[in-house]
Amino acid sequence: MTPGGTPEPGGTTAPDAPEDRSPHAQAVVSSHELATAAGTEILEAGGTAADAAVAVAAVLSVVEPFYSSVLGGGTWGLYYDADPDEVTSLDGVGPVGSAATLDDYRPRAGDFGMHQAILPGAWDGWMLWLEEYGELELGEVLAPAIAVAREGYPVSSEMTYWLTLEEANIRQSPVMTDLYIRDGDLLDTGDTVYQRDMADTFEDLVAAYDGAADRSTGIQAARDHFYRGPVAEAVVAFSEQNGGYLTLEDFSSFSAQIVEPISIDYGEDVTVYQNPPNSQGITMLQALNILQNDDFSGRSPDDPDVVHLQVEAIKLAFADRHAHVGDPERTDVPVDELLSDEYARSQRARIDMDRAARWPIDSGLDRQASDTTTFHVTDRSGNAAAVTTSLGGQFLVVGDTGIHINERMSFMSLDEGNVNAVAPGATVRHTSAPFMALRAGRPYLLGGNTGIDTQTQGQLQQFMSVVEFGMTPQQAVAQPRFVSTAFPASNHPYEADNTLQVEPAFPEAAVQELRRRGHEVTVGAGIVGTANMLAVDADGTEARLGVEPRNETAGGTVLPGPSSR
């Protein structure tokens, strides 16, 4: 099947198209306009997509500390390096602390606290990207984040929501009280919030970098300051005082990795890349593989047949995730089998077009022995970065470091027999999973959707809305979303609800038809997350964005091409 419609922007590049990739469209899209502005500033200064991505991620740590942190969280990313013409995956997710045990964690699995934190791996991942793909100095890249943190920024309605949700925990901590409570009341929308301790930590990392002889040793110095110096010492001391599991050895022995992505071919000339396990990105590829031999011509994204097919494919993919996807160092994840065309055909044959499947759903293979934020960047050389980075939802600040720490332990299973079970040194099955699609070998679509198990489901819908149904990226992101819960949730208490959650704008006729087929449709419930997309035209010179309309702070920028300057 050739992907249908005429996606915006552009058509398909012929295989023998010229290899000249300059000048390439430069663009940034993220969930916050200040982060987008930072990425734009870095691109205008001559930075690469990697430089801009780190700048965006750092500013998001300041303005969305409830979603992600370059200091306290973990990250997955995909990078297209134009010079060698290759896509790589960034694994910046740390392991479970070596002091953790299932017996100690199980009774506290639902509680707030430092015991929910795994080793923060994002900082080493970002330094790895700067080393491999960046060009600017660390001080230049972090300058926008430092300025916003020190000078302050207005509280958004999204932050107001999180502050209200976490008020009880905030009031337990003098540090968080100083940050988010003023004159006895929570900060409200429009108030100014400052992250001065975070600015200090950023500046200390820059000082470590600046004290080195050259850029490469400077990046290593910034890593050492974090993982083998004052930052590690502060986090471990806080962990020991507050019942956590992290040790100095955990920090000193950690290193992020650039790894091979996983991919499938979709149609004649589109290749879709995802992050490999322990990321759950494989579920998007499996669902796409199941669907790609169906004919969607003349259909719309909210056609009941289309929705039913997508939902049932998602259920089968997540059943496989539950059975097979975990830490690849501790379990054999059958990636090749799960992504094979033969397996996709056998899974498609399991879908009954007139009846919705319900959990428990068996894997098609025998078993072998938010929150989150997303953003995307392209630069003038044709490099591209797709990123989803996350804290997991906890709102806990580590002492006077300004670091908002993750709660990824709550995404691990309490069942010793599960492939994602709690164990010291294990890596969590991570929900973060941006995607990148190349068309005729060049960047085409970069996308992400936040929201725990919504992530790959939303991305599947948005990819198909552009590629199959001819929508623009903006139309695809704005399209009403649906979310299946017919599988165990990633986070505690890991329940399978067997519902199909749809946004209120979903057509009533489609809702009724889906109910007839046995879907337990709930309207206006669930987590649809936030999404954005970046699409590049066939010759690489123009870009179009899909900016999340559900988020008041989201923003994107396409820089003027050389011909228009």
Side-chain angles (χ1 to χ4, degrees):
M1 176 203 64
T2 300
T6 305
E8 295 284 344
T12 300
T13 302
D16 59 353
E19 285 303 310
D20 181 15
R21 297 173 184 235
S22 298
H24 195 279
Q26 298 190 86
V28 185
V29 61
S30 82
S31 58
H32 202 289
E33 56 195 3
L34 291 176
T36 296
T40 303
E41 178 182 332
I42 295 301
L43 291 177
E44 290 179 323
T48 67
D51 293 319
V54 177
V56 170
V59 172
L60 288 173
S61 304
V62 178
V63 298
E64 293 183 345
F66 39 89
Y67 283 154
S68 70
S69 172
V70 297
L71 302 173
T75 194
W76 281 97
L78 292 164
Y79 198 82
Y80 175 76
D81 191 356
D83 189 15
D85 186 25
E86 68 176 3
V87 178
T88 58
S89 173
L90 174 65
D91 179 354
V93 177
V96 171
S98 57
T101 67
L102 184 54
D103 286 344
D104 183 79
Y105 179 73
R106 181 180 281 115
R108 300 194 287 162
D111 298 339
F112 174 87
M114 188 63 194
H115 64 287
Q116 298 287 11
I118 63 172
L119 184 84
W123 181 255
D124 201 63
W126 295 123
M127 294 303 96
L128 187 54
W129 260 16
L130 288 184
E131 183 176 31
E132 293 292 325
Y133 307 121
E135 294 180 2
L136 300 186
E137 306 295 333
L138 183 61
E140 294 177 84
V141 172
L142 293 186
I146 292 170
V148 173
R150 197 165 294 290
E151 296 168 11
Y153 57 93
V155 174
S156 65
S157 61
E158 285 81 14
M159 177 172 276
T160 300
Y161 168 82
W162 278 97
L163 292 176
T164 303
L165 189 68
E166 300 290 345
E167 181 174 4
N169 294 325
I170 289 170
R171 291 186 181 276
Q172 290 180 30
S173 164
V175 172
M176 289 192 290
T177 296
D178 286 345
L179 280 172
Y180 299 116
I181 292 177
R182 194 164 298 155
D183 297 327
D185 295 323
L186 284 173
L187 295 177
D188 202 355
T189 303
D191 290 339
T192 301
V193 60
Y194 303 91
Q195 301 283 358
R196 296 188 178 103
D197 286 344
M198 196 188 305
D200 289 342
T201 297
F202 281 141
E203 288 177 341
D204 289 344
L205 289 161
V206 171
Y209 174 97
D210 288 342
D214 54 46
R215 186 174 182 277
S216 179
T217 55
I219 290 172
Q220 185 58 49
R223 290 163 129 167
D224 289 342
H225 183 89
F226 191 101
Y227 289 96
R228 284 160 284 278
V231 176
E233 292 165 2
V235 175
V236 170
F238 185 87
S239 180
E240 290 173 345
Q241 294 164 9
N242 293 276
Y245 300 125
L246 301 177
T247 70
L248 289 174
E249 173 60 24
D250 294 333
F251 274 85
S252 64
S253 62
F254 175 74
S255 59
Q257 300 180 71
I258 290 177
V259 298
E260 288 290 327
I262 56 177
S263 65
I264 62 166
D265 292 329
Y266 191 86
E268 294 181 356
D269 63 352
V270 175
T271 302
V272 188
Y273 291 88
Q274 263 288 358
N275 302 277
N278 52 305
S279 167
Q280 71 168 3
I282 193 171
T283 58
M284 178 194 179
L285 299 187
Q286 284 187 260
L288 277 177
N289 228 12
I290 291 168
L291 297 170
Q292 73 163 305
N293 288 317
D294 280 273
D295 183 3
F296 294 99
S297 57
R299 303 289 186 90
S300 65
D302 51 22
D303 181 307
D305 281 345
V306 171
V307 175
H308 179 82
L309 268 172
Q310 289 179 325
V311 171
E312 298 304 293
I314 286 164
K315 291 175 184 177
L316 294 173
F318 274 84
D320 282 338
R321 184 203 70 168
H322 180 71
H324 301 292
V325 179
D327 181 353
E329 297 296 320
R330 294 170 180 259
T331 187
D332 181 15
V333 184
V335 172
D336 290 343
E337 291 176 83
L338 292 172
L339 294 182
S340 71
D341 292 341
E342 180 182 4
Y343 186 60
R345 287 192 295 269
S346 69
Q347 291 287 77
R348 176 62 180 87
R350 295 176 64 187
I351 295 177
D352 183 337
M353 287 301 296
D354 204 48
R355 185 181 298 275
R358 294 177 57 82
W359 185 263
I361 300 169
D362 291 335
S363 168
L365 290 179
D366 291 334
R367 179 164 176 178
Q368 313 294 311
S370 201
D371 218 307
T372 307
T373 194
T374 186
F375 60 90
H376 314 290
V377 183
T378 58
D379 67 25
R380 72 186 66 203
S381 299
N383 305 307
V387 176
T388 302
T389 185
S390 178
L391 283 176
Q394 186 161 246
F395 210 24
L396 175 63
V397 179
V398 177
D400 62 359
T401 65
I403 296 175
H404 293 64
I405 199 73
N406 70 84
E407 63 158 357
R408 278 290 160 183
M409 284 286 287
S410 67
F411 287 71
M412 301 196 77
S413 174
L414 304 181
D415 177 3
E416 289 184 77
N418 189 275
V419 294
N420 188 43
V422 169
T427 52
V428 62
R429 182 172 62 212
H430 212 275
T431 54
S432 296
F435 78 89
M436 180 182 293
L438 269 56
R439 179 175 52 187
R442 296 184 176 186
Y444 168 34
L445 292 176
L446 288 71
N449 196 121
T450 71
I452 313 176
D453 293 325
T454 303
Q455 293 189 43
T456 52
Q457 299 190 56
Q459 291 164 195
L460 173 77
Q461 295 165 56
Q462 289 137 27
F463 174 90
M464 293 189 70
S465 288
V466 173
V467 175
E468 291 288 359
F469 306 119
M471 287 186 166
T472 67
Q474 188 60 51
Q475 290 169 334
V477 167
Q479 176 72 16
R481 292 176 200 143
F482 56 84
V483 181
S484 174
T485 66
F487 47 83
S490 286
N491 55 331
H492 187 272
Y494 323 114
E495 295 174 346
D497 292 333
N498 277 313
T499 60
L500 177 58
Q501 301 163 344
V502 303
E503 290 193 271
F506 215 78
E508 178 62 21
V511 169
Q512 294 306 320
E513 174 57 21
L514 291 165
R515 283 175 174 159
R516 187 195 67 77
R517 300 185 195 198
H519 295 279
E520 293 187 16
V521 182
T522 60
V523 179
I527 300 172
V528 298
T530 59
N532 49 57
M533 293 183 78
L534 193 164
V536 185
D537 72 359
D539 65 7
T541 61
E542 300 291 337
R544 297 194 187 187
L545 306 178
V547 180
E548 179 58 84
R550 300 162 183 82
N551 186 338
E552 69 174 8
T553 60
T557 300
V558 179
L559 296 180
S563 61
S564 60
R565 289 176 182 165

